[in-house]
Amino acid sequence: MKLTEEQAERLVEEYADLLLRTAYSWTGNLADAQDACQTALLKLIVSRRQFDGPEGQKAWLLRVTINECKSLNRSAWRRRRADWEEAALAAQMPEPEPDGLLEAVQKLPPKYRTAIFLRYYEGYGVGEIAQMIGVKPALVSTWLARGREKLKMMLGGEMDESLPETDG
């Protein structure tokens, strides 16, 4: 099944923001996040894959995006370069939000950051996250608990109630 230009544009409009935010949470770099997002969308556009529904398609795109980010993070190029563009952008960025929660989430290790992002910012359940990233739900619950604990330590023990204690 070949997609029309209209269908491809709809996919980009529907998923690009979610994929870009997810990719940025993994790479910490806008250019790499854009590359991973674009690659995932292109893989969907040129594939002949059939999905049971929009949620299946969304989960597949998230999985491909995360895998692309992992590949980028493992590359020798990534490990040996200094990112001057990001440093320049950071100098122009507005002040972070007062509570510093999003900034703290961005500083978490990738596995905790991804679990927290998908759970609390995107609203996925533990089982859905586990399926998307290819691990067991118990591991996702552990990452969420450890991520919350790290956030509490980073924020001086005072964490906004936007990250509830339950993983449900």
Side-chain angles (χ1 to χ4, degrees):
M1 169 182 114
K2 180 108 170 135
L3 292 178
T4 66
E5 186 175 332
E6 222 173 76
Q7 291 170 319
E9 286 177 9
R10 183 191 58 78
L11 287 172
V12 170
E13 287 175 16
E14 189 171 340
Y15 295 115
D17 186 51
L18 167 67
L19 299 179
L20 185 61
R21 287 182 284 135
T22 301
Y24 187 79
S25 78
W26 270 85
T27 63
N29 175 295
L30 183 59
D32 287 345
Q34 289 170 332
D35 287 346
C37 178
Q38 181 178 12
T39 301
L41 286 166
L42 283 173
K43 284 183 178 185
L44 177 63
I45 290 169
V46 300
S47 77
R48 297 177 185 262
R49 190 170 185 89
Q50 298 294 319
F51 299 96
D52 292 334
E55 284 303 312
Q57 186 176 49
K58 186 178 186 180
W60 185 85
L61 276 168
L62 281 167
R63 182 76 222 141
V64 171
T65 301
I66 290 168
N67 287 341
E68 287 298 318
C69 293
K70 287 178 179 179
S71 294
L72 284 170
N73 287 339
R74 282 192 304 261
S75 73
W77 166 254
R78 169 86 176 187
R79 290 190 306 265
R80 293 187 180 123
R81 72 180 171 97
D83 194 5
W84 292 102
E85 291 92 16
E86 288 295 315
L89 283 175
Q92 300 171 1
M93 297 283 286
E95 287 295 313
E97 55 198 50
D99 65 1
L101 181 60
L102 185 58
E103 182 179 309
V105 169
Q106 290 296 327
K107 291 179 182 176
L108 289 172
K111 60 187 176 186
Y112 303 145
R113 183 173 55 226
T114 300
I116 296 243
F117 176 79
L118 290 174
R119 175 71 178 107
Y120 300 109
Y121 288 88
E122 294 302 326
Y124 285 101
V126 171
E128 293 172 309
I129 296 168
Q131 186 177 20
M132 279 184 230
I133 61 178
V135 298
K136 295 185 181 204
L139 187 55
V140 173
S141 293
T142 300
W143 289 350
L144 287 168
R146 289 180 183 167
R148 284 192 304 265
E149 285 304 312
K150 286 186 176 289
L151 285 171
K152 283 181 185 177
M153 289 180 2
M154 292 164 78
L155 297 171
E158 297 177 20
M159 191 166 72
D160 187 88
E161 292 302 316
S162 62
L163 296 181
E165 290 298 321
T166 61
D167 294 335

